[in-house]
Amino acid sequence: MYRPAARLADIEPFHVVELFTRAHQLQAEGRDIIHMEVGEPDFPTPEPIAHAAMAAIASGKTMYTQAFGLPELRQAISDFYRQRYGVDVPARRIAVTNGASGALNLAFACLTNPGDEWLLADPGYPCNRHIVRTYEGRPQAIAVGPQSNFQPTPAQVGAAWSEKTTGLLVASPANPTGTLLTLPEIAALAEVCRARKGHFMVDEIYHGLTYETDAPTACTAGDDIWVINSFSKYFQMTGWRLGWMVIPEPYLRDVEKLAQNLVLCPSTPAQHAALAAFRPETIAILEERRAEFRRRRDFLAPALEALGFRITARPEGAFYLYCDSSALAADSFALARDLLEKTGVAATPGLDFGANAPEKHIRFAYTTGVDRLAEAVERLRRYFGR
Amino acid sequence: MYRPAARLADIEPFHVVELFTRAHQLQAEGRDIIHMEVGEPDFPTPEPIAHAAMAAIASGKTMYTQAFGLPELRQAISDFYRQRYGVDVPARRIAVTNGASGALNLAFACLTNPGDEWLLADPGYPCNRHIVRTYEGRPQAIAVGPQSNFQPTPAQVGAAWSEKTTGLLVASPANPTGTLLTLPEIAALAEVCRARKGHFMVDEIYHGLTYETDAPTACTAGDDIWVINSFSKYFQMTGWRLGWMVIPEPYLRDVEKLAQNLVLCPSTPAQHAALAAFRPETIAILEERRAEFRRRRDFLAPALEALGFRITARPEGAFYLYCDSSALAADSFALARDLLEKTGVAATPGLDFGANAPEKHIRFAYTTGVDRLAEAVERLRRYFGR
């Protein structure tokens, strides 16, 4: 007897896992693999954060917390909004979650009725559409490209909005492209949603990892906007699974009920660790690492372009370069596999990010040092015979 | 604009939170509160587990793991099944999850179509019915009582099964009653589900905390049974949020897809901590604590009965006494509030556990030492004028 729920037919695995597994198999066989496929910073969690966790564990601070997290952590996040962005986000509107994933689950569970449509950018982070589907919503892709810096425009959102549409999710910086939304662009998208009595959600999990300008937070554009963030990327706490969400006031009770029932509370050691995330000595470490990410991007982008990849998005943030590979190969999935086998360079084909010309794109993550990036470029140069 | 999903109307908060908040308010005012309301052991996480976490954090083991968790942890859980229960559960069938909550979310998301009914015992753990509802299933209560030791019988399950029913969830030891299912009882319930091509799920999160006989695992009764477990209770890792699930082979790929998209991975520091959970020195600590729980139960149960509470369930496991308070008060919710205000003893009214005579029941958790339990009993004695 095999009788899974119907939603499983619409939920895809990460295609990159196949490639990742093969990469580790080759590595086990002694091959030197350069990992540019995974969305995880190569830096360890900063020492002040790690030490705060160890101190909390040593003193027995490992019991359940409130469903929305430690009050002092919620306050610290609120303070961070004031200091970094100059915006007042009261602690009571902040829920600490099991990573940004946990936040997205709670938000979509709170807002999605069966059949409700959510507008999502394509290419985009693949889990979003699968989380929407899990709560019986219907993800609707808005194809985005270089003409709008891979972000949906108000005109596109207005045109895509149907009677079934319940809201819009955007990401700034975006994954896989690293492109940003300006504050006027965020405000304009919010207005489109408001005018249609729809929800507006903004994924800000790559905030802090921007290299020209700081990304503006959607919290500045209205307290009716759902804002998702994470300790994984800028704060380099991936495996700790901790994030947060800024919730519009009317929904606080609903999200809390969901969190009490679905989650109980986020990881207590991780929460105590995160209390050290906003300290000046931690921020100093993070800003050094941000500068290093910038150096990597500034090395890798022109080097890939010299090989024939086209970077049509302005990669202002995150740690990805989303490249048009169509001048080099007809099918980026085949290219990614061939690159791995022949050069040991692992990258993510467009297939994981949606249905908008995935075969023409490949994503390189600059989550490894410049020397290794240079080695990767050299191998690609030989592969393409340049 | 306030437009939550319809499911929110069916999802209740924890009622005990109101009481808990009031208890902490009274405490802040200087009152001495005896906490018997929360399902959390008062023991700190055992030292070998805490040390394993600190060692992992110190050596930078804080990156993402596979969605189903560290292969060595899955293997350690598999070994535990062989050693403790004499049953072979291959590591590939074991998924490490964000607590038992995470396991329940993945299982119900995998198996529940909109409108599908799940049979659940009432009284029972309240989150179960809300998780089912979240994935658009319909929880159907089976009223259980002393005549079946607060567990559903095969006859009840057969009678409650409708065309819409997709499966049955039971818990052994149960919450709030602490009652067990024998292996023949588990096998008989499994057979009822099998005969109807339904799913069978068994919550074993209080395994290890039993005081007469070890609870048998449902893994012994068939590899088509979904088994949920947790590091929270016996292993005393509540705030770490780590659990696991044994998945029937045909569904491995589906649950993995869900875990990849909804969760990414369980907490990495918690997973490294849990690697020490099965070591002999940890088990020795846990078994001492189990003996202490037994002493508490053996003190508290007759003391409450002497006051006029009736314990109609055989509380063989977990750390709860579910008492019939109807000889003492008409409404257990009012009683719980009054007890808190007048005696400083905090207990959980039946209201949180379902719709089956909740006003007649109150749950006392023996998660505090015998001296404090004795003090609580003394206060209750004065309150009832005995």
Side-chain angles (χ1 to χ4, degrees):
Chain A
M1 193 204 71
Y2 170 60
R3 210 155 53 93
R7 63 174 66 88
L8 269 301
D10 301 325
I11 293 175
E12 292 165 69
F14 276 131
H15 299 289
V16 73
V17 168
E18 184 196 323
L19 207 113
F20 186 72
T21 304
R22 178 67 184 147
H24 279 268
Q25 196 180 335
L26 290 171
Q27 212 161 6
E29 290 167 11
R31 288 280 300 278
D32 176 47
I33 304 297
I34 303 175
H35 290 284
M36 302 172 74
E37 80 279 37
V38 180
E40 179 163 43
D42 54 332
F43 300 110
T45 300
E47 282 212 350
I49 298 177
H51 278 131
M54 291 188 279
I57 293 167
S59 63
K61 292 178 181 166
T62 61
M63 300 291 209
Y64 291 131
T65 69
Q66 293 175 23
F68 273 180
L70 294 167
E72 58 269 41
L73 181 55
R74 298 166 72 191
Q75 187 57 53
I77 296 168
S78 171
D79 295 344
F80 183 67
Y81 275 108
R82 194 168 308 105
Q83 286 153 21
R84 182 157 286 207
Y85 302 98
V87 58
D88 184 48
V89 180
R92 70 171 182 282
R93 287 186 54 212
I94 296 166
V96 181
T97 58
N98 282 336
S101 304
L104 289 162
N105 276 276
L106 292 172
F108 284 122
C110 182
L111 298 176
T112 311
N113 279 309
D116 280 357
E117 293 177 3
W118 277 93
L119 303 178
L120 310 171
D122 180 351
Y125 180 60
C127 301
N128 292 333
R129 64 179 190 274
H130 297 131
I131 297 176
V132 167
R133 179 64 186 92
T134 297
Y135 299 103
E136 294 298 325
R138 292 191 197 154
Q140 295 293 319
I142 296 183
V144 294
Q147 67 286 354
S148 67
N149 202 26
F150 287 89
Q151 294 282 0
T153 64
Q156 280 182 304
V157 172
W161 205 284
S162 82
E163 282 197 353
K164 290 278 193 183
T165 303
T166 194
L168 166 71
L169 166 64
V170 297
S172 172
N175 177 4
T177 56
T179 65
L180 298 188
L181 287 165
T182 64
L183 190 55
E185 285 169 340
I186 292 170
L189 291 169
E191 207 41 56
V192 174
C193 296
R194 255 175 229 133
R196 287 157 182 80
K197 299 195 187 307
H199 309 291
F200 184 39
M201 207 182 289
V202 183
D203 166 352
E204 302 190 342
I205 78 168
Y206 290 98
H207 265 226
L209 295 175
T210 54
Y211 310 112
E212 270 76 33
T213 50
D214 282 339
T217 176
C219 293
T220 312
D223 55 14
D224 55 349
I225 303 174
W226 297 69
V227 177
I228 314 281
N229 211 322
S230 172
F231 287 100
S232 290
K233 311 296 184 180
Y234 174 63
F235 298 100
Q236 285 137 31
M237 292 180 67
T238 47
W240 299 81
R241 313 307 301 116
L242 205 70
W244 75 81
M245 173 160 58
V246 179
I247 304 166
E249 193 91 39
Y251 296 94
L252 283 173
R253 184 88 179 116
D254 288 322
V255 180
E256 190 179 30
K257 286 196 303 184
L258 286 169
Q260 286 176 349
N261 282 288
L262 307 186
V263 183
L264 301 192
C265 73
S267 160
T268 305
Q271 291 187 68
H272 284 282
L275 281 172
F278 304 107
R279 285 198 209 135
E281 64 269 32
T282 309
I283 298 290
I285 295 167
L286 298 175
E287 289 299 312
E288 273 174 36
R289 293 178 179 181
R290 170 167 28 184
E292 168 63 15
F293 276 123
R294 183 186 176 138
R295 278 190 291 278
R296 294 174 180 183
R297 185 202 59 169
D298 292 347
F299 166 78
L300 188 61
L304 290 176
E305 287 180 317
L307 293 175
F309 291 100
R310 286 176 55 229
I311 303 174
T312 53
R314 285 195 305 275
E316 297 178 81
F319 32 64
Y320 307 116
L321 295 173
Y322 193 61
C323 302
D324 182 334
S325 53
S326 58
L328 297 165
D331 171 7
S332 64
F333 197 52
L335 174 64
R337 273 195 272 211
D338 204 46
L339 283 180
L340 175 60
E341 296 293 334
K342 298 201 177 130
T343 73
V345 173
T348 310
L351 192 58
D352 265 326
F353 305 108
N356 177 13
E359 72 288 351
K360 291 187 177 172
H361 292 89
I362 188 164
R363 187 191 77 176
F364 292 92
Y366 42 95
T367 46
T368 188
V370 169
D371 54 335
R372 294 290 282 164
L373 297 178
E375 168 68 20
V377 168
E378 182 50 33
R379 291 186 195 176
L380 295 178
R381 194 186 314 277
R382 285 197 300 266
Y383 174 85
F384 290 116
R386 305 254 158 172
Chain B
M1 192 203 74
Y2 170 62
R3 209 156 54 91
R7 62 173 68 88
L8 269 301
D10 302 325
I11 292 175
E12 293 165 68
F14 276 131
H15 300 289
V16 75
V17 168
E18 184 197 322
L19 207 112
F20 185 71
T21 305
R22 178 68 183 144
H24 279 268
Q25 194 180 336
L26 290 171
Q27 213 161 6
E29 291 167 11
R31 287 281 299 279
D32 177 47
I33 304 297
I34 303 176
H35 290 285
M36 302 172 75
E37 79 280 37
V38 180
E40 180 163 43
D42 53 332
F43 299 111
T45 298
E47 282 211 349
I49 297 176
H51 277 131
M54 291 188 280
I57 293 167
S59 63
K61 292 179 180 165
T62 61
M63 299 292 209
Y64 292 130
T65 69
Q66 292 175 21
F68 273 1
L70 294 167
E72 57 268 41
L73 181 56
R74 298 166 71 191
Q75 187 57 53
I77 296 168
S78 171
D79 294 344
F80 183 68
Y81 275 108
R82 195 168 307 105
Q83 286 153 20
R84 182 156 284 206
Y85 301 99
V87 58
D88 184 47
V89 180
R92 72 171 180 282
R93 287 186 53 211
I94 296 167
V96 181
T97 57
N98 281 337
S101 304
L104 289 162
N105 276 276
L106 292 173
F108 285 122
C110 183
L111 298 176
T112 311
N113 278 310
D116 280 357
E117 293 178 2
W118 278 93
L119 303 177
L120 311 170
D122 181 350
Y125 179 61
C127 300
N128 292 333
R129 65 179 188 274
H130 298 132
I131 298 176
V132 167
R133 178 64 186 91
T134 297
Y135 299 102
E136 294 299 322
R138 293 192 196 154
Q140 295 293 319
I142 296 182
V144 295
Q147 66 288 355
S148 66
N149 202 25
F150 287 88
Q151 293 283 1
T153 64
Q156 280 182 304
V157 172
W161 205 284
S162 83
E163 281 197 355
K164 290 277 192 183
T165 304
T166 195
L168 166 70
L169 166 65
V170 297
S172 172
N175 178 4
T177 56
T179 65
L180 297 188
L181 287 165
T182 64
L183 190 54
E185 285 168 340
I186 292 170
L189 291 169
E191 207 40 54
V192 173
C193 296
R194 256 176 228 132
R196 286 156 184 79
K197 299 195 188 308
H199 308 291
F200 184 39
M201 208 183 287
V202 183
D203 165 351
E204 302 190 341
I205 78 166
Y206 290 98
H207 264 227
L209 295 176
T210 53
Y211 310 113
E212 271 76 32
T213 49
D214 282 337
T217 176
C219 293
T220 312
D223 54 15
D224 55 348
I225 302 174
W226 297 68
V227 176
I228 314 281
N229 211 321
S230 173
F231 285 100
S232 290
K233 310 297 185 180
Y234 175 64
F235 298 101
Q236 285 137 31
M237 292 181 66
T238 47
W240 300 80
R241 313 306 302 116
L242 205 70
W244 75 82
M245 174 160 58
V246 179
I247 303 165
E249 193 91 39
Y251 296 94
L252 284 174
R253 183 88 178 116
D254 289 321
V255 181
E256 190 179 30
K257 285 196 303 183
L258 286 169
Q260 285 176 350
N261 282 289
L262 306 186
V263 183
L264 300 191
C265 74
S267 160
T268 304
Q271 291 188 67
H272 283 282
L275 282 171
F278 304 108
R279 283 197 210 137
E281 64 270 31
T282 310
I283 299 290
I285 296 167
L286 299 175
E287 289 298 312
E288 273 174 36
R289 293 177 179 182
R290 173 176 13 194
E292 169 63 16
F293 276 123
R294 184 188 175 135
R295 278 189 291 277
R296 295 173 179 183
R297 183 201 62 171
D298 291 348
F299 165 78
L300 187 63
L304 290 176
E305 287 180 316
L307 293 176
F309 292 99
R310 287 175 55 229
I311 302 173
T312 53
R314 284 194 306 277
E316 297 178 80
F319 32 66
Y320 306 117
L321 295 174
Y322 194 61
C323 300
D324 182 334
S325 54
S326 59
L328 297 166
D331 172 5
S332 63
F333 196 52
L335 174 65
R337 274 196 271 208
D338 204 46
L339 283 180
L340 176 60
E341 296 294 334
K342 298 201 177 128
T343 73
V345 173
T348 310
L351 191 58
D352 265 326
F353 305 108
N356 178 14
E359 72 288 353
K360 292 187 177 172
H361 292 89
I362 188 165
R363 187 191 77 176
F364 293 92
Y366 42 95
T367 45
T368 189
V370 169
D371 54 335
R372 294 291 282 165
L373 297 178
E375 168 67 20
V377 168
E378 182 50 35
R379 292 186 195 177
L380 295 178
R381 193 186 316 277
R382 285 196 300 266
Y383 175 85
F384 290 116
R386 305 257 156 170

